[in-house]
Amino acid sequence: DVQLVESGGGSVQAGSSLRLSCVASGYHFPSYCIGWFRQVPGTEREGVAAIDDDGEVTLADSVKGRFTISQDNGVKSLQLQMNSLKLEDTATYYCAAADRLGACGQNEYTYWGHGTQVTVS
């Protein structure tokens, strides 16, 4: 079974940095689209950053210049480096992975972690 486990969340002050990590088991790295999403209760889930089948990186406009996504194929992990955090970055962050080529739309990801909370004050 594929499992994605996020870590690295926490409560920080605005302007601080956090580094989220997602460790995958039962999933081959590099493989298909893999990325980070976030959600605030009562709102729709938002795509934050992703690496597609060809290794191309996509970042949401709201995080460009502040967040960086990377993957470590050796340890099968996906990272999200978050700098200059803002109040509006407060959310639960989820790691997600696709199970086939081209499945890069938010609703096409098959595997999801349980999330890690990021709170910026």
Side-chain angles (χ1 to χ4, degrees):
D1 290 350
V2 174
Q3 287 191 330
L4 304 176
V5 180
E6 304 97 334
S7 63
S11 296
V12 297
Q13 292 188 336
S16 299
S17 298
L18 280 174
R19 186 175 180 85
L20 304 184
S21 181
C22 170
V23 177
S25 59
Y27 189 80
H28 183 260
F29 266 68
S31 188
Y32 309 122
C33 290
I34 189 163
W36 289 95
F37 296 80
R38 66 187 181 187
Q39 189 169 26
V40 176
T43 68
E44 291 189 359
R45 188 168 57 200
E46 172 191 20
V48 177
I51 301 175
D52 72 11
D53 306 307
D54 296 321
E56 294 294 320
V57 170
T58 301
L59 292 166
D61 288 342
S62 60
V63 305
K64 284 180 180 177
R66 301 188 298 121
F67 290 13
T68 304
I69 186 172
S70 61
Q71 62 183 32
D72 186 328
N73 299 331
V75 296
K76 296 184 179 182
S77 68
L78 182 72
Q79 290 80 42
L80 184 68
Q81 178 66 42
M82 306 187 295
N83 298 328
S84 302
L85 283 162
K86 302 178 180 180
L87 299 180
E88 52 264 41
D89 295 319
T90 295
T92 301
Y93 284 71
Y94 299 90
C95 173
D99 66 351
R100 61 194 185 281
L101 285 173
C104 299
Q106 180 176 160
N107 294 325
E108 296 177 284
Y109 284 78
T110 299
Y111 307 111
W112 292 84
H114 292 295
T116 185
Q117 178 66 36
V118 172
T119 302
V120 185
S121 59

